């Protein structure tokens, strides 16, 4: 079994070295084995599997508390399958809501860009149409800003 340095574990997991240290400090991973002579961390392949799963969760905006639950449930397997499903679906709903918000923002930005494009071209008809589109989007924009 190959032991990985913190640099190698960071590179392979996509997490930074300070994040690896922090995750160990808060008990999300580890304790990580240490080299007997140098005291440096030595990550095992199973540590890396955990780190990669945590990196995915982190990239999706999952917080430390839910990462901790996910990691603990992962070790319990089938016994916690329902809880894992619910945790992941809760975050899937949050991501879906964020995507919806981003779609509204994207539409607004495109409408405003069309407005300014029409102004640059001195196209009064296109400017009026873009201005209507912008104003029609305002309730959607306000709705997502309130969430």
């Amino acid at each position: 079994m190959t032991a990985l340095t913190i640099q190698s574990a960071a590179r392979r997991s996509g997490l930074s070295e300070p994040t690896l240290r922090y995750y160990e400090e808060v008990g999300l991973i580890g304790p990580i084995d240490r080299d007997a002579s140098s005291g440096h961390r030595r990550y095992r392949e199973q540590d890396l599997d955990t780190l990669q799963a945590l990196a995915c969760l982190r990239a999706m905006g999952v917080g430390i508390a839910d990462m901790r639950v996910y990691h603990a449930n992962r070790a319990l397997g089938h016994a916690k399958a329902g809880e894992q499903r619910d945790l992941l679906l809760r975050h899937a709903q949050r991501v879906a809501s964020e995507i919806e918000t981003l779609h509204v923002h994207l539409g607004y930005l495109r409408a405003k860009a069309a407005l300014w494009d029409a102004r640059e071209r001195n196209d009064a008809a296109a400017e009026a149409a873009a201005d209507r589109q912008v104003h029609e989007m305002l309730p959607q924009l306000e709705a997502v800003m309130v969430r």
Side-chain angles (χ1 to χ4, degrees):
M1 174 171 61
T2 305
L4 301 169
T5 64
I6 193 168
Q7 295 88 359
S8 295
R11 189 172 38 258
R12 289 188 52 193
S13 69
L15 297 169
S16 69
E17 292 175 36
T19 298
L20 296 179
R21 290 183 192 100
Y22 175 71
Y23 283 4
E24 184 179 6
E25 179 183 321
V26 298
L28 195 53
I29 60 170
I32 301 300
D33 293 338
R34 303 290 178 137
D35 181 272
S37 62
S38 68
H40 294 160
R41 290 171 176 83
R42 294 293 183 243
Y43 294 84
R44 300 166 295 163
E45 286 297 323
Q46 68 191 56
D47 296 325
L48 192 61
D49 290 343
T50 298
L51 292 174
Q52 289 169 335
L54 294 174
C56 288
L57 293 173
R58 181 178 186 224
M60 292 179 267
V62 175
I64 295 289
D66 279 347
M67 288 173 150
R68 188 175 277 121
V69 169
Y70 180 84
H71 180 55
N73 286 347
R74 210 173 143 207
L76 298 173
H78 288 42
K80 292 293 186 167
E83 193 173 327
Q84 289 294 72
R85 178 202 58 229
D86 294 346
L87 183 146
L88 293 170
L89 287 176
R90 189 173 67 250
H91 284 286
Q93 181 57 44
R94 178 188 49 78
V95 169
S97 178
E98 291 172 7
I99 289 169
E100 182 183 337
T101 297
L102 289 173
H103 278 296
V104 171
H105 289 171
L106 178 62
Y108 179 78
L109 289 169
R110 286 181 173 158
K112 289 295 275 189
L115 175 71
W116 287 100
D117 179 61
R119 286 179 179 167
E120 181 183 44
R121 293 182 287 109
N122 293 317
D123 184 340
E127 182 177 344
D131 191 51
R132 274 192 308 278
Q133 186 179 11
V134 167
H135 282 86
E136 288 170 2
M137 293 196 70
L138 290 177
Q140 291 176 352
L141 191 61
E142 289 170 6
V144 298
M145 301 279 260
V146 172
R147 283 189 206 165

